Amino acid sequence: MFSKKTVKVKNIFIGGEHEIVIQSMTNTDTLDISSTLNQINNLYELGAQLIRVSVRSLDDIESFRIICASSKVPLCADIHFDYRVAVESIKAGASKIRLNPGNIGAEWKVREVVNTAREYGVPIRIGVNSGSIKKEFSHLEGYKALAESCLEELRILESMEFGDVVLSLKSSDAMETYNANLYVAGKVDYPMHLGVTEAGVWEDSIILSSAGIGSLLFNKIGDTIRVSISGDPLQEVTAAKKMLTLLGYLKGPRVIACPTCARTQIDVADLAEKVKIMTAEIHQQITIAVMGCVVNGPGEAKDADIAIAGSGGAGVIFVKGKIVKKVERSNLEKELMDEIQKMIYGR
Ligand code: SF4
Protein backbone atom coordinates (compact mmCIF):
# COMPACT_ATOMS: atom_id res chain seq x y z
CA MET A 1 0.00 0.00 0.00
CA PHE A 2 2.73 2.46 0.88
CA SER A 3 6.01 1.29 -0.68
CA LYS A 4 6.78 2.43 -4.22
CA LYS A 5 7.99 -1.00 -5.26
CA THR A 6 5.53 -3.79 -5.93
CA VAL A 7 6.08 -7.50 -5.56
CA LYS A 8 3.91 -10.07 -7.35
CA VAL A 9 3.07 -13.21 -5.42
CA LYS A 10 1.25 -15.51 -7.82
CA ASN A 11 -2.02 -13.62 -8.40
CA ILE A 12 -1.64 -10.95 -5.71
CA PHE A 13 0.46 -7.82 -5.42
CA ILE A 14 2.17 -6.46 -2.35
CA GLY A 15 3.13 -2.80 -2.26
CA GLY A 16 2.54 0.10 -4.64
CA GLU A 17 -1.08 1.14 -4.92
CA HIS A 18 -2.36 -2.26 -3.86
CA GLU A 19 -4.47 -2.87 -0.79
CA ILE A 20 -2.89 -4.19 2.35
CA VAL A 21 -2.58 -7.96 2.11
CA ILE A 22 -3.79 -10.08 5.05
CA GLN A 23 -1.55 -12.98 5.99
CA SER A 24 -1.59 -15.83 8.43
CA MET A 25 0.33 -19.04 8.99
CA THR A 26 -0.73 -22.65 9.39
CA ASN A 27 0.01 -24.40 12.67
CA THR A 28 -0.81 -27.92 11.51
CA ASP A 29 1.88 -30.48 10.75
CA THR A 30 2.95 -29.91 7.14
CA LEU A 31 3.15 -33.68 6.73
CA ASP A 32 -0.56 -33.87 7.57
CA ILE A 33 -1.80 -32.79 4.16
CA SER A 34 -5.54 -32.88 4.78
CA SER A 35 -5.40 -30.94 8.07
CA THR A 36 -3.09 -28.35 6.54
CA LEU A 37 -5.24 -27.95 3.43
CA ASN A 38 -8.34 -27.76 5.58
CA GLN A 39 -6.80 -24.97 7.65
CA ILE A 40 -5.60 -23.15 4.54
CA ASN A 41 -9.09 -23.34 3.09
CA ASN A 42 -10.68 -22.02 6.28
CA LEU A 43 -8.18 -19.17 6.44
CA TYR A 44 -8.82 -18.35 2.80
CA GLU A 45 -12.61 -18.40 3.26
CA LEU A 46 -12.23 -15.99 6.15
CA GLY A 47 -10.10 -13.55 4.16
CA ALA A 48 -6.42 -14.57 4.27
CA GLN A 49 -4.77 -13.67 0.99
CA LEU A 50 -1.34 -15.19 1.55
CA ILE A 51 -0.59 -18.06 3.91
CA ARG A 52 2.77 -19.14 5.27
CA VAL A 53 3.54 -22.80 5.76
CA SER A 54 6.64 -24.14 7.53
CA VAL A 55 8.76 -26.38 5.35
CA ARG A 56 11.05 -27.77 8.00
CA SER A 57 13.22 -30.12 5.99
CA LEU A 58 13.35 -32.00 2.71
CA ASP A 59 10.98 -34.51 4.32
CA ASP A 60 8.17 -31.92 4.08
CA ILE A 61 8.64 -31.25 0.37
CA GLU A 62 6.31 -33.88 -1.07
CA SER A 63 3.48 -32.87 1.25
CA PHE A 64 4.14 -29.22 0.49
CA ARG A 65 3.97 -29.95 -3.24
CA ILE A 66 0.51 -31.51 -2.87
CA ILE A 67 -0.63 -28.68 -0.58
CA CYS A 68 0.51 -26.04 -3.09
CA ALA A 69 -1.27 -27.80 -5.95
CA SER A 70 -4.58 -27.81 -4.06
CA SER A 71 -4.39 -24.44 -2.32
CA LYS A 72 -6.72 -21.67 -3.53
CA VAL A 73 -4.41 -19.08 -2.05
CA PRO A 74 -0.70 -18.38 -2.67
CA LEU A 75 1.58 -20.02 -0.14
CA CYS A 76 4.80 -18.74 1.36
CA ALA A 77 7.29 -21.41 2.41
CA ASP A 78 8.97 -20.66 5.71
CA ILE A 79 12.56 -21.88 5.55
CA HIS A 80 15.39 -21.98 8.02
CA PHE A 81 19.04 -22.76 7.34
CA ASP A 82 18.89 -25.31 4.52
CA TYR A 83 19.23 -23.88 1.00
CA ARG A 84 18.04 -27.18 -0.49
CA VAL A 85 14.70 -26.84 1.27
CA ALA A 86 14.33 -23.34 -0.17
CA VAL A 87 15.17 -24.48 -3.69
CA GLU A 88 12.89 -27.50 -3.51
CA SER A 89 10.03 -25.48 -1.98
CA ILE A 90 10.11 -23.12 -4.92
CA LYS A 91 10.11 -26.04 -7.35
CA ALA A 92 7.25 -27.61 -5.37
CA GLY A 93 5.04 -24.57 -5.93
CA ALA A 94 5.80 -21.95 -3.25
CA SER A 95 4.60 -18.54 -4.41
CA LYS A 96 6.99 -16.82 -2.02
CA ILE A 97 9.66 -17.94 0.42
CA ARG A 98 10.63 -16.51 3.76
CA LEU A 99 14.21 -16.91 4.83
CA ASN A 100 17.19 -14.97 6.03
CA PRO A 101 20.04 -15.29 3.53
CA GLY A 102 22.52 -14.92 6.41
CA ASN A 103 21.25 -18.22 7.85
CA ILE A 104 21.77 -20.14 4.66
CA GLY A 105 25.56 -20.30 4.87
CA ALA A 106 28.02 -20.17 1.97
CA GLU A 107 27.46 -17.60 -0.75
CA TRP A 108 27.00 -20.26 -3.44
CA LYS A 109 24.08 -21.69 -1.48
CA VAL A 110 22.35 -18.32 -1.27
CA ARG A 111 23.04 -17.82 -4.97
CA GLU A 112 21.43 -21.16 -5.70
CA VAL A 113 18.26 -20.03 -3.87
CA VAL A 114 18.28 -16.64 -5.57
CA ASN A 115 18.74 -18.16 -9.02
CA THR A 116 15.83 -20.54 -8.47
CA ALA A 117 13.63 -17.74 -7.09
CA ARG A 118 14.49 -15.64 -10.12
CA GLU A 119 13.79 -18.46 -12.53
CA TYR A 120 10.37 -19.17 -10.99
CA GLY A 121 9.45 -15.52 -10.36
CA VAL A 122 9.17 -16.11 -6.63
CA PRO A 123 9.83 -13.23 -4.23
CA ILE A 124 11.85 -13.64 -1.05
CA ARG A 125 10.72 -12.22 2.25
CA ILE A 126 13.52 -11.39 4.61
CA GLY A 127 12.06 -11.98 8.04
CA VAL A 128 14.15 -10.66 10.88
CA ASN A 129 13.09 -10.97 14.49
CA SER A 130 14.80 -10.63 17.83
CA GLY A 131 16.16 -14.16 17.47
CA SER A 132 17.92 -13.38 14.20
CA ILE A 133 19.93 -10.35 15.26
CA LYS A 134 23.44 -10.60 13.90
CA LYS A 135 26.36 -10.68 16.32
CA GLU A 136 28.01 -7.62 14.81
CA PHE A 137 24.92 -5.54 15.66
CA SER A 138 24.13 -7.00 19.07
CA HIS A 139 25.77 -4.04 20.85
CA LEU A 140 23.27 -1.65 19.26
CA GLU A 141 20.00 -0.53 20.83
CA GLY A 142 17.28 -3.19 20.29
CA TYR A 143 15.46 -1.67 17.32
CA LYS A 144 18.69 -0.64 15.58
CA ALA A 145 20.13 -4.13 15.96
CA LEU A 146 16.98 -5.51 14.35
CA ALA A 147 17.03 -2.91 11.58
CA GLU A 148 20.74 -3.24 10.75
CA SER A 149 20.43 -7.04 10.73
CA CYS A 150 17.61 -6.73 8.21
CA LEU A 151 19.57 -4.30 6.04
CA GLU A 152 22.57 -6.65 6.14
CA GLU A 153 20.36 -9.53 4.96
CA LEU A 154 19.03 -7.28 2.22
CA ARG A 155 22.56 -6.35 1.08
CA ILE A 156 23.26 -10.04 0.44
CA LEU A 157 20.32 -10.26 -1.97
CA GLU A 158 21.05 -6.88 -3.54
CA SER A 159 24.67 -7.94 -4.15
CA MET A 160 23.16 -10.71 -6.31
CA GLU A 161 20.98 -8.13 -8.03
CA PHE A 162 17.83 -9.68 -6.61
CA GLY A 163 15.24 -7.07 -5.74
CA ASP A 164 12.03 -9.10 -5.63
CA VAL A 165 11.97 -8.68 -1.90
CA VAL A 166 9.59 -8.04 0.99
CA LEU A 167 11.03 -7.02 4.35
CA SER A 168 9.75 -7.80 7.80
CA LEU A 169 11.14 -6.76 11.15
CA LYS A 170 9.30 -8.12 14.13
CA SER A 171 9.84 -7.93 17.83
CA SER A 172 7.55 -8.98 20.65
CA ASP A 173 7.88 -5.37 21.80
CA ALA A 174 5.49 -3.09 19.87
CA MET A 175 7.67 0.01 20.28
CA GLU A 176 10.77 -1.84 19.10
CA THR A 177 8.84 -3.16 16.09
CA TYR A 178 7.67 0.36 15.33
CA ASN A 179 11.14 1.91 15.58
CA ALA A 180 12.86 -0.83 13.59
CA ASN A 181 10.39 -0.56 10.71
CA LEU A 182 10.54 3.23 10.75
CA TYR A 183 14.35 3.07 10.59
CA VAL A 184 14.45 0.65 7.65
CA ALA A 185 11.61 2.32 5.72
CA GLY A 186 13.59 5.55 5.97
CA LYS A 187 16.53 3.93 4.20
CA VAL A 188 15.08 1.56 1.58
CA ASP A 189 11.84 1.26 -0.32
CA TYR A 190 10.76 -2.36 -0.42
CA PRO A 191 7.27 -3.59 0.48
CA MET A 192 7.04 -4.12 4.23
CA HIS A 193 5.29 -6.95 6.02
CA LEU A 194 4.17 -5.79 9.46
CA GLY A 195 3.54 -7.66 12.66
CA VAL A 196 4.38 -7.82 16.32
CA THR A 197 5.73 -11.30 16.87
CA GLU A 198 4.96 -13.57 19.81
CA ALA A 199 2.27 -11.06 20.72
CA GLY A 200 0.50 -13.57 22.94
CA VAL A 201 -3.11 -14.61 23.29
CA TRP A 202 -6.15 -12.78 21.96
CA GLU A 203 -6.49 -9.47 23.89
CA ASP A 204 -2.76 -9.03 24.42
CA SER A 205 -2.02 -9.52 20.75
CA ILE A 206 -4.85 -7.23 19.66
CA ILE A 207 -3.49 -4.44 21.84
CA LEU A 208 0.17 -4.93 20.92
CA SER A 209 -0.57 -5.46 17.22
CA SER A 210 -2.88 -2.46 17.01
CA ALA A 211 -0.20 -0.29 18.55
CA GLY A 212 2.70 -1.71 16.51
CA ILE A 213 0.98 -2.20 13.16
CA GLY A 214 -1.44 0.72 13.49
CA SER A 215 1.23 3.28 14.28
CA LEU A 216 3.28 2.18 11.27
CA LEU A 217 0.28 2.33 8.93
CA PHE A 218 -0.44 5.85 10.17
CA ASN A 219 3.15 6.64 9.18
CA LYS A 220 2.44 5.27 5.69
CA ILE A 221 4.55 2.17 6.24
CA GLY A 222 3.22 -1.32 5.57
CA ASP A 223 1.93 -3.32 2.63
CA THR A 224 0.92 -6.59 4.23
CA ILE A 225 0.20 -7.61 7.83
CA ARG A 226 -0.07 -10.56 10.16
CA VAL A 227 -1.69 -10.22 13.56
CA SER A 228 0.23 -12.91 15.39
CA ILE A 229 -1.99 -14.67 17.95
CA SER A 230 -1.22 -17.84 19.92
CA GLY A 231 -3.76 -20.52 19.08
CA ASP A 232 -6.17 -20.92 16.19
CA PRO A 233 -4.84 -18.88 13.22
CA LEU A 234 -8.41 -18.09 12.15
CA GLN A 235 -8.36 -15.55 14.96
CA GLU A 236 -5.47 -13.81 13.21
CA VAL A 237 -7.48 -13.21 10.06
CA THR A 238 -10.54 -12.03 11.99
CA ALA A 239 -8.37 -9.59 13.93
CA ALA A 240 -6.47 -8.37 10.86
CA LYS A 241 -9.69 -7.70 8.91
CA LYS A 242 -11.21 -5.92 11.86
CA MET A 243 -8.09 -3.84 12.42
CA LEU A 244 -7.89 -2.77 8.78
CA THR A 245 -11.60 -1.97 8.62
CA LEU A 246 -11.63 0.05 11.83
CA LEU A 247 -8.51 1.96 10.80
CA GLY A 248 -10.06 2.73 7.41
CA TYR A 249 -7.82 0.61 5.15
CA LEU A 250 -10.46 -1.94 4.24
CA LYS A 251 -14.07 -1.38 3.24
CA GLY A 252 -16.57 -2.69 5.74
CA PRO A 253 -18.99 -1.70 8.50
CA ARG A 254 -17.86 0.18 11.54
CA VAL A 255 -20.18 0.09 14.56
CA ILE A 256 -19.49 2.86 17.01
CA ALA A 257 -21.25 2.81 20.35
CA CYS A 258 -21.24 5.14 23.31
CA PRO A 259 -19.72 3.96 26.58
CA THR A 260 -23.11 4.49 28.34
CA CYS A 261 -23.76 6.57 31.44
CA ALA A 262 -26.62 7.54 33.74
CA ARG A 263 -28.51 9.01 30.74
CA THR A 264 -28.59 5.70 28.87
CA GLN A 265 -32.11 4.76 27.65
CA ILE A 266 -31.47 1.53 25.72
CA ASP A 267 -29.23 -1.51 26.05
CA VAL A 268 -26.39 -0.07 23.97
CA ALA A 269 -23.92 -2.97 24.30
CA ASP A 270 -26.51 -5.58 23.38
CA LEU A 271 -27.80 -3.64 20.37
CA ALA A 272 -24.28 -2.76 19.16
CA GLU A 273 -23.25 -6.42 19.40
CA LYS A 274 -26.32 -7.46 17.38
CA VAL A 275 -25.66 -4.79 14.75
CA LYS A 276 -22.07 -6.02 14.44
CA ILE A 277 -23.30 -9.56 13.79
CA MET A 278 -26.02 -8.45 11.39
CA THR A 279 -23.64 -6.31 9.33
CA ALA A 280 -20.64 -8.64 9.37
CA GLU A 281 -21.08 -9.63 5.72
CA ILE A 282 -21.29 -6.10 4.37
CA HIS A 283 -18.23 -5.12 2.33
CA GLN A 284 -18.97 -1.45 2.00
CA GLN A 285 -17.86 1.52 4.01
CA ILE A 286 -20.65 2.35 6.44
CA THR A 287 -20.55 3.74 9.95
CA ILE A 288 -23.42 2.88 12.28
CA ALA A 289 -23.69 4.52 15.68
CA VAL A 290 -25.56 3.10 18.66
CA MET A 291 -25.98 5.79 21.29
CA GLY A 292 -27.63 5.63 24.69
CA CYS A 293 -29.52 8.92 24.62
CA VAL A 294 -30.67 11.81 22.45
CA VAL A 295 -29.04 14.39 24.72
CA ASN A 296 -25.52 13.81 23.48
CA GLY A 297 -25.93 10.86 21.16
CA PRO A 298 -26.78 12.59 17.89
CA GLY A 299 -23.98 15.13 18.34
CA GLU A 300 -21.43 12.48 19.19
CA ALA A 301 -22.58 10.32 16.27
CA LYS A 302 -22.95 13.10 13.72
CA ASP A 303 -20.34 11.57 11.41
CA ALA A 304 -22.12 8.23 11.32
CA ASP A 305 -24.12 7.24 8.23
CA ILE A 306 -26.89 5.82 10.40
CA ALA A 307 -27.38 6.29 14.12
CA ILE A 308 -29.81 5.11 16.70
CA ALA A 309 -30.20 6.89 20.02
CA GLY A 310 -32.24 5.92 23.06
CA SER A 311 -35.16 8.19 23.90
CA GLY A 312 -37.78 7.66 26.57
CA GLY A 313 -37.23 3.93 26.58
CA ALA A 314 -37.57 3.77 22.78
CA GLY A 315 -35.26 4.82 19.95
CA VAL A 316 -34.74 7.52 17.34
CA ILE A 317 -33.04 6.72 14.05
CA PHE A 318 -30.88 9.30 12.31
CA VAL A 319 -29.64 9.10 8.74
CA LYS A 320 -26.71 11.40 8.00
CA GLY A 321 -27.50 13.34 11.16
CA LYS A 322 -31.23 13.87 10.43
CA ILE A 323 -34.06 12.17 12.32
CA VAL A 324 -35.93 9.78 10.02
CA LYS A 325 -38.10 7.88 12.48
CA LYS A 326 -38.96 7.03 16.05
CA VAL A 327 -39.12 3.34 16.87
CA GLU A 328 -40.53 1.18 19.63
CA ARG A 329 -38.07 -0.54 21.96
CA SER A 330 -39.21 -3.93 20.66
CA ASN A 331 -38.38 -2.92 17.08
CA LEU A 332 -34.97 -1.27 17.49
CA GLU A 333 -32.93 -3.95 15.71
CA LYS A 334 -35.35 -4.52 12.85
CA GLU A 335 -35.93 -0.85 12.08
CA LEU A 336 -32.23 -0.09 12.28
CA MET A 337 -31.39 -2.98 10.00
CA ASP A 338 -34.06 -1.84 7.54
CA GLU A 339 -32.40 1.57 7.32
CA ILE A 340 -28.97 -0.01 6.87
CA GLN A 341 -30.30 -2.24 4.05
CA LYS A 342 -31.95 0.78 2.44
CA MET A 343 -28.68 2.68 2.45
CA ILE A 344 -26.56 -0.20 1.21
CA TYR A 345 -28.87 -1.92 -1.25
CA GLY A 346 -31.44 0.83 -1.91
CA ARG A 347 -34.29 -1.25 -0.51
FE1 SF4 B 1 -24.29 8.92 28.08
FE2 SF4 B 1 -25.82 9.68 26.02
FE3 SF4 B 1 -23.14 9.96 25.86
FE4 SF4 B 1 -24.26 7.55 25.79
S1 SF4 B 1 -24.54 9.16 24.28
S2 SF4 B 1 -22.49 8.18 27.01
S3 SF4 B 1 -25.97 7.75 27.16
S4 SF4 B 1 -24.54 11.02 27.27
Side-chain angles (χ1 to χ4, degrees):
M1 176 137 195
F2 294 120
S3 71
K4 289 201 189 75
K5 285 189 182 151
T6 303
V7 161
K8 185 171 185 292
V9 183
K10 204 172 180 178
N11 56 340
I12 61 163
F13 293 90
I14 302 176
E17 297 298 304
H18 301 279
E19 284 193 353
I20 295 166
V21 171
I22 295 173
Q23 297 199 37
S24 187
M25 185 169 183
T26 55
N27 62 3
T28 49
D29 183 346
T30 308
L31 288 173
D32 183 345
I33 297 169
S34 70
S35 297
T36 304
L37 269 174
N38 193 35
Q39 194 169 64
I40 287 171
N41 202 41
N42 290 339
L43 289 165
Y44 165 73
E45 296 289 341
L46 201 58
Q49 295 154 292
L50 176 59
I51 298 171
R52 189 152 51 112
V53 176
S54 294
V55 186
R56 300 160 295 184
S57 71
L58 289 174
D59 293 343
D60 279 344
I61 291 294
E62 277 319 301
S63 301
F64 185 65
R65 188 188 312 281
I66 297 167
I67 293 166
C68 286
S70 305
S71 173
K72 293 180 190 157
V73 64
L75 301 181
C76 173
D78 189 82
I79 318 285
H80 286 275
F81 308 119
D82 191 339
Y83 84 98
R84 296 169 307 165
V85 180
V87 167
E88 292 308 319
S89 293
I90 295 170
K91 291 181 179 172
S95 301
K96 184 177 170 217
I97 56 170
R98 184 264 189 180
L99 55 73
N100 290 326
N103 288 341
I104 295 296
E107 193 195 311
W108 68 266
K109 293 180 179 173
V110 180
R111 204 171 279 282
E112 196 74 13
V113 176
V114 165
N115 286 344
T116 313
R118 210 190 319 261
E119 185 187 340
Y120 284 77
V122 166
I124 297 177
R125 174 181 139 203
I126 293 173
V128 174
N129 57 36
S130 315
S132 41
I133 286 174
K134 294 181 166 298
K135 252 196 213 129
E136 62 262 43
F137 303 121
S138 56
H139 64 287
L140 295 175
E141 200 181 334
Y143 80 91
K144 264 195 194 159
L146 206 57
E148 289 296 349
S149 297
C150 177
L151 291 170
E152 184 57 30
E153 298 284 0
L154 177 62
R155 276 190 279 273
I156 297 173
L157 295 186
E158 284 185 331
S159 73
M160 297 176 184
E161 291 176 1
F162 188 84
D164 204 6
V165 170
V166 176
L167 302 178
S168 80
L169 302 96
K170 297 183 180 181
S171 160
S172 55
D173 181 296
M175 178 71 98
E176 195 167 278
T177 302
Y178 171 78
N179 283 326
N181 279 275
L182 207 60
Y183 185 94
V184 166
K187 293 189 184 298
V188 294
D189 184 30
Y190 288 92
M192 306 285 285
H193 168 78
L194 306 182
V196 176
T197 193
E198 295 133 19
V201 292
W202 182 248
E203 300 95 336
D204 300 41
S205 172
I206 302 292
I207 292 166
L208 288 173
S209 301
S210 300
I213 295 173
S215 55
L216 285 162
L217 293 176
F218 291 157
N219 273 285
K220 299 194 184 309
I221 295 168
D223 305 281
T224 170
I225 68 167
R226 177 186 180 195
V227 178
S228 167
I229 302 177
S230 304
D232 185 347
L234 292 178
Q235 295 182 106
E236 299 192 343
V237 181
T238 304
K241 282 180 77 177
K242 185 56 85 180
M243 184 191 294
L244 293 179
T245 305
L246 295 183
L247 297 183
Y249 297 104
L250 190 66
K251 284 191 176 141
R254 180 176 176 209
V255 181
I256 58 176
C258 82
T260 70
C261 71
R263 292 194 177 91
T264 306
Q265 302 278 315
I266 52 174
D267 190 341
V268 171
D270 180 66
L271 183 56
E273 200 56 57
K274 284 179 177 152
V275 174
K276 266 176 69 173
I277 293 166
M278 290 188 297
T279 56
E281 297 305 315
I282 292 175
H283 300 292
Q284 285 184 41
Q285 205 78 47
I286 181 167
T287 302
I288 303 139
V290 180
M291 312 302 278
C293 76
V294 285
V295 179
N296 289 328
E300 289 172 15
K302 66 181 183 316
D303 295 327
D305 296 300
I306 297 180
I308 188 160
S311 171
V316 180
I317 294 180
F318 299 78
V319 173
K320 304 276 185 198
K322 296 212 163 52
I323 293 181
V324 293
K325 63 169 84 153
K326 295 195 171 145
V327 290
E328 296 298 318
R329 178 185 281 264
S330 56
N331 263 348
L332 295 179
E333 279 162 61
K334 187 190 170 304
E335 297 275 1
L336 183 60
M337 208 49 213
D338 283 353
E339 287 304 323
I340 294 169
Q341 303 253 358
K342 222 190 278 176
M343 182 168 285
I344 301 256
Y345 307 110
R347 59 180 156 83

